[in-house]
Amino acid sequence: MKRKYFSILLAAMTIAASANVYAAPSIGQIIPEAPKVVEGNLSNKQELIVKDVDTGAYKDKVAEVVTKVNDDNTKVTMDEVLKDLKVDTTETIKTNTEKKVNPSLYESLTPFVDLVIKEDDKITYETDGAIETTLTIEAAKDVNKKDVLLMQIDPTTGKVAFVAIEKLDKATGEVTATFDSLGPVMLIEKVPIVTKKVSPERYADE
């Protein structure tokens, strides 16, 4: 009887340990400080915030991709993400600063979080023009500015933007970037993998 009880207890402890290992990071662990707007058309009542993703507010395909990427139990490659979002990687892809980039050579450093505007109790993804902001991202510590981008998806249209990092403080993880639209965003980093078909030098950011 004691042996049976011990087996049940051990199983319960194993499940609990697994739950702790695979627990998704909180928004405070990913971006510990509120964004700071450097420049943008926000009213006195509006504030730029980051929050947990709200897939119910997205287009179906966007919701599906964000859910898959944020699932700790699912391994998703960047190629799969790009394919699901109908990003044509055979065409030239550029960042918001017009630099060529091959997103297939990147992987996510963070899950998606929502970058939105809050006004009183209302949340909106709509913005009146571009917003330049600083974000403190834990995963941006000790990375090279030239190797990272922010991948952002318009929650309504599904359009994908690759947002260049304009400034990066490697000690604090504070990044400065300009967003033309709001919605789910994640930090991605270039992975220099050389194969017979793909050479990172061929797609080096210009």
Side-chain angles (χ1 to χ4, degrees):
M1 188 69 176
K2 288 183 178 180
R3 182 177 297 177
K4 182 178 181 181
Y5 174 79
F6 178 78
S7 298
I8 295 172
L9 179 61
L10 181 62
M13 290 173 64
T14 302
I15 292 172
S18 299
N20 289 332
V21 169
Y22 294 108
S26 68
I27 195 76
Q29 292 173 309
I30 302 167
I31 301 179
E33 298 179 17
K36 301 173 185 175
V37 175
V38 178
E39 186 176 352
N41 295 321
L42 274 72
S43 71
N44 292 334
K45 291 184 177 181
Q46 293 179 323
E47 59 178 326
L48 187 68
I49 67 169
V50 289
K51 66 178 190 64
D52 292 324
V53 294
D54 179 10
T55 55
Y58 305 161
K59 179 181 179 180
D60 288 347
K61 181 53 70 173
V62 176
E64 181 181 320
V65 169
V66 170
T67 299
K68 193 185 300 183
V69 169
N70 283 16
D71 184 351
D72 289 333
N73 296 315
T74 303
K75 179 64 176 177
V76 186
T77 66
M78 184 58 71
D79 280 336
E80 291 175 307
V81 171
L82 298 172
K83 182 179 179 181
D84 288 344
L85 293 171
K86 301 187 184 305
V87 177
D88 188 353
T89 55
T90 65
E91 298 290 333
T92 299
I93 298 173
K94 295 182 179 181
T95 67
N96 62 319
T97 56
E98 295 298 311
K99 289 187 177 181
K100 292 181 181 178
V101 64
N102 179 11
S104 295
L105 296 178
Y106 286 72
E107 67 178 8
S108 62
L109 288 182
T110 68
F112 278 107
V113 297
D114 258 357
L115 182 64
V116 300
I117 290 175
K118 181 181 180 183
E119 184 173 1
D120 297 325
D121 295 329
K122 181 182 178 183
I123 297 294
T124 181
Y125 296 95
E126 297 180 2
T127 174
D128 182 16
I131 298 177
E132 182 181 354
T133 183
T134 60
L135 297 163
T136 299
I137 306 173
E138 282 295 316
K141 292 180 178 179
D142 298 321
V143 299
N144 293 318
K145 175 173 169 287
K146 65 182 181 65
D147 292 333
V148 288
L149 294 169
L150 289 161
M151 179 178 176
Q152 186 264 326
I153 311 172
D154 186 301
T156 303
T157 65
K159 182 180 179 181
V160 179
F162 296 98
V163 181
I165 304 295
E166 298 165 20
K167 297 177 184 178
L168 169 62
D169 186 328
K170 296 173 68 172
T172 64
E174 183 178 270
V175 303
T176 300
T178 300
F179 294 88
D180 294 319
S181 62
L182 303 179
V185 60
M186 70 176 175
L187 184 69
I188 59 176
E189 182 180 33
K190 187 189 298 182
V191 181
I193 299 175
V194 179
T195 69
K196 293 181 179 179
K197 294 183 178 179
V198 180
S199 171
E201 289 77 14
R202 178 183 174 188
Y203 296 102
D205 295 349
E206 299 178 0

